[in-house]
Amino acid sequence: MPESPEVDALAGFLRTHIVGRQIAGLELVEYGALKTRGRLTSELVGRASELVGRAVTGIRRFGKHLASTPKVRHSL
C-alpha cells in the first residue's frame, strides 16, 4: 500500500501527542469518520459525546484506518 508510510507516521504522531490526554470535546463533522459494523443511527452518533472527559489510552492501525482507544469508565 503506498499510503502505509504516511499512516504509520500519523499513528506515531498521534501516539506521541494524544495518548494519555483527555478528550475535551468532540464534533462529528463527517459521519463517514464514525466506523461501525451496524447501522448508523442518531442514537449511536449521540453516544459519541460519551467520549468527552475520557483519556485516550492508545492508537491502533487497521490497514489505512486509525482508531483511538478511550479509557473505559467502569466501577467495580
Side-chain angles (χ1 to χ4, degrees):
M1 296 171 98
E3 69 275 347
S4 184
E6 290 87 359
V7 176
D8 283 337
L10 178 57
F13 175 84
L14 293 174
R15 285 184 189 109
T16 301
H17 289 85
I18 70 168
V19 169
R21 298 186 70 178
Q22 259 189 349
I23 299 169
L26 180 72
E27 181 180 354
L28 188 60
V29 177
E30 175 60 49
Y31 289 106
L34 183 61
K35 298 293 181 187
T36 175
R37 293 177 191 253
R39 188 170 172 221
L40 188 61
T41 63
S42 59
E43 177 188 352
L44 182 61
V45 172
R47 291 190 62 207
S49 65
E50 294 176 12
L51 296 172
V52 175
R54 295 187 189 188
V56 177
T57 60
I59 300 293
R60 296 181 294 160
R61 179 176 173 207
F62 300 95
K64 60 183 176 178
H65 300 283
L66 296 175
S68 62
T69 309
K71 184 175 183 180
V72 181
R73 292 184 192 164
H74 283 276
S75 50
L76 300 173

